[in-house]
Amino acid sequence: MSERPDSAGPDPDDTFDEFAELVEEETRRDPDLAVIEAGSRTLRTQGGPPQADVPARPADPEVDKALREVEAELSTRWGETKLEPSVDRIAALMDVLGEPQRSYPSIHITGTNGKTSTARMIEALLGAFDLRTGRYTSPHVQSVTERISLDGAPVSAERFIETYQDVKPYVEMVDASQEYRLSFFEVLTGMAYAAFADAPVDVAVVEVGMGGAWDATNVIDAGVAVVTPIDLDHTDRLGGTPAEIATEKSGIVKQDATVIMAQQPVEAAQVLLKKAVEVGATVAREGLEFGVLDRQVAVGGQMMTLRGLGGEYTEVYLPLHGAHQAHNAAVALAAVEAFFGVGSQHAQPLDIDTVRKAFASVASPGRMEVVRRSPTVVLDAAHNPAGARAAAETIGEAFQFSRLIGVVGASGDKNVRELLEAFEPVFAEIVVTQNSSHRAMDADALAAIAVEVFGEERVQVEPRLPDALEAAITLAEEEGEFAGGGVLVTGSVITVGEARLLLGKG
């Protein structure tokens, strides 16, 4: 790791005063946490990067055929929405594989929104400091192979197939010994951990699938646990309040770990801090130990000043839009600092030029991603109310559309009404549709809710996604005062992935 204090920059007293104001504001926001915080240890400081994209189908017909066979076999297993809350099966698989997840350190990420983007930022930072990384994220946008990345890029189809064939006999062995077969997600998790050990990687960046305590990924003992903002999602499985959801997600916090905690609802923060006290974990909180000091909209993204555990990092360009991405960046920076021992073992900040280079390289497909111009078509994988609110705010900040058309295809198990309500102020009209997933909400059912939110005159129904895209683009291309029209495709990662293919990406 290359590190040095950054001697350039603004007057230290001004920096201290600015951050002191941030601390005071955050303390006022969460006064109920004082008692819990008194019992927790908080982390305070004394004093070539990846270019990732979504892979296309293999060009070689034989490889494509083999990948489709693997995908078909995986599809016979429980999908990601059918769960039996236990880590028994994945633990059994790890046992017969020789505990591959123990052969490298890891950073574990949970939360409701922002996990994948934060994982990509962490991966970019670690790679910029010459560490070999493995990243496991979900769900995928277009190809299942993108869930497992090495050195900042999805594994090749050939490597994915080979990894599956390697673990398949052990998967079948565990299937035979358990009450339920390993699920789709459990098999992929086993494949990722095996691939990382085989590479081998210097560090794994692992995103939970759902929850934390009983998530299949939770057979690692990560030295750094990251909790992105918690909101209501998957309430049928995780609980109906932020506190209940935080209880499940706190399961990734292990003995003596460092917890990097994004800003949270008070009741969620209380749960996380209690867990930290119980296991002797050290806590760093956004707005107190680290945070976003300043952000300005820039061409293609934003320019940030971040307060890390090691000090201030100025003039950091991030080619992603939205305040939420700046907060994700602050969390990612603190996580990497903690991994390198900043704030616990030493006070020296990370090399500022390396940090800048890493953030400037970050890509997050399907997150405010522009895939077409004239008119501009933007994809965003917002699929719950909190994500929709962030997307609505960001689209207004980053793009100057005089008329914005929404294309929305959502899953039936989501809070669709609140998602649509978040977009109502920014969509001139909405085209409702559905993706090819069995989880997709029927277009007519979605339209019925959309009519209640937007009014009948603003809603158009196109059950086929290609027709929905064509209709939205036509509406955005209208002449006259609406010449600055744009299209936002959103509502589901699957909808975004399919639209991405239809629009020629990947």
Side-chain angles (χ1 to χ4, degrees):
M1 178 185 69
S2 55
E3 302 175 348
R4 64 163 175 81
D6 182 25
S7 57
D11 184 275
D13 291 335
D14 293 341
T15 299
F16 179 81
D17 291 342
E18 189 175 16
F19 196 64
E21 293 176 5
L22 184 67
V23 169
E24 183 180 356
E25 179 182 345
E26 182 68 11
T27 303
R28 287 198 304 268
R29 189 180 71 87
D30 289 344
D32 296 337
L33 303 184
V35 174
I36 300 171
E37 290 169 357
S40 67
R41 290 184 292 145
T42 58
L43 187 59
R44 302 181 190 274
T45 304
Q46 311 295 320
Q51 290 289 346
D53 203 351
V54 177
R57 295 299 309 184
D60 185 325
E62 290 302 314
V63 175
D64 187 52
K65 179 183 177 183
L67 179 59
R68 291 184 188 278
E69 289 173 353
V70 171
E71 291 169 328
E73 288 186 26
L74 288 170
S75 70
T76 65
R77 298 180 174 275
W78 278 0
E80 289 169 283
T81 58
K82 186 172 183 179
L83 304 166
E84 193 274 321
S86 166
V87 294
D88 292 346
R89 292 173 302 282
I90 187 68
L93 180 60
M94 292 297 99
D95 181 54
V96 297
L97 287 174
E99 304 290 347
Q101 80 282 13
R102 310 286 183 202
S103 63
Y104 40 79
S106 53
I107 297 175
H108 207 177
I109 307 168
T110 191
T112 301
N113 289 306
K115 296 188 294 296
T116 298
S117 292
T118 302
R120 286 178 172 273
M121 294 178 197
I122 291 172
E123 173 190 52
L125 284 162
L126 293 169
F129 284 101
D130 298 323
L131 292 183
R132 188 167 203 201
T133 57
R135 174 173 53 84
Y136 181 53
T137 53
S138 61
H140 56 274
V141 177
Q142 286 174 203
S143 171
V144 68
T145 61
E146 71 195 64
R147 295 183 180 225
I148 304 173
S149 289
L150 293 171
D151 297 321
V155 295
S156 66
E158 292 88 345
R159 188 160 194 165
F160 186 89
I161 295 163
E162 180 183 352
T163 302
Y164 176 76
Q165 296 299 340
D166 286 344
V167 304
K168 182 178 178 180
Y170 301 96
V171 167
E172 292 172 345
M173 187 186 309
V174 173
D175 284 344
S177 66
Q178 298 289 319
E179 182 179 1
Y180 304 106
R181 297 171 70 214
L182 287 155
S183 70
F184 168 85
F185 186 73
E186 288 168 333
V187 173
L188 281 176
T189 302
M191 289 172 59
Y193 289 161
F196 296 162
D198 185 60
V201 301
D202 297 314
V203 54
V205 182
V206 178
E207 174 189 337
V208 304
M210 186 186 300
W214 42 259
D215 186 73
T217 62
N218 202 29
V219 288
I220 54 175
D221 291 319
V224 178
V226 176
V227 187
T228 66
I230 290 174
D231 211 301
L232 299 182
D233 199 9
H234 301 296
T235 53
D236 55 331
R237 298 175 179 86
L238 303 180
T241 67
E244 292 173 342
I245 294 172
T247 298
E248 291 294 336
K249 294 184 183 295
S250 70
I252 73 166
V253 179
K254 304 299 173 59
Q255 191 76 34
D256 299 324
T258 298
V259 183
I260 305 299
M261 196 168 77
Q263 288 187 348
Q264 304 290 350
V266 172
E267 55 183 304
Q270 290 174 330
V271 170
L272 295 168
L273 288 167
K274 284 179 181 177
K275 179 59 179 283
V277 172
E278 291 169 3
V279 300
T282 303
V283 179
R285 300 151 297 177
E286 183 184 6
L288 291 175
E289 284 74 41
F290 68 93
V292 179
L293 289 180
D294 184 61
R295 55 178 294 270
Q296 301 292 330
V297 176
V299 176
Q302 55 193 306
M303 189 68 73
M304 310 175 298
T305 297
L306 303 178
R307 170 72 179 192
L309 305 176
E312 187 172 321
Y313 298 79
T314 62
E315 297 181 356
V316 177
Y317 174 70
L318 179 69
L320 300 176
H321 298 289
H324 62 294
Q325 294 290 16
H327 289 287
N328 290 340
V331 170
L333 176 61
V336 173
E337 286 182 307
F339 180 80
F340 285 138
V342 178
S344 57
Q345 300 171 24
H346 59 85
Q348 191 177 27
L350 302 179
D351 177 71
I352 183 63
D353 290 332
T354 306
V355 168
R356 288 170 178 157
K357 180 181 177 183
F359 275 119
S361 76
V362 172
S364 195
R367 277 75 180 177
M368 280 295 151
E369 181 186 19
V370 177
V371 293
R372 172 184 165 149
R373 299 285 186 183
S374 299
T376 299
V377 178
V378 183
L379 307 181
D380 193 82
H383 56 274
N384 55 43
R389 289 190 291 271
E393 179 183 347
T394 299
I395 201 80
E397 174 187 271
F399 302 92
Q400 302 302 313
F401 295 127
S402 59
R403 174 182 173 86
L404 180 64
I405 310 301
V407 175
V408 179
S411 296
D413 58 349
K414 298 296 182 180
N415 186 340
V416 173
R417 179 176 296 276
E418 287 191 24
L419 182 144
L420 293 176
E421 288 173 346
F423 284 120
E424 191 278 331
V426 298
F427 287 165
E429 296 185 52
I430 181 173
V431 182
V432 298
T433 187
Q434 65 189 75
N435 58 56
S436 64
S437 168
H438 68 278
R439 294 174 56 201
M441 175 174 277
D442 177 76
D444 289 332
L446 179 58
I449 300 173
V451 166
E452 294 177 4
V453 174
F454 289 84
E456 187 173 358
E457 69 282 357
R458 294 167 63 192
V459 179
Q460 183 170 333
V461 186
E462 295 290 352
R464 295 181 65 253
L465 183 56
D467 297 336
L469 292 172
E470 182 178 354
I473 289 170
T474 299
L475 288 169
E477 286 177 333
E478 289 185 354
E479 299 295 332
E481 63 176 307
F482 299 133
V487 175
L488 176 63
V489 184
T490 189
S492 163
V493 176
I494 297 170
T495 300
V496 163
E498 293 180 356
R500 204 172 187 274
L501 277 173
L502 289 167
L503 292 166
K505 298 288 286 186

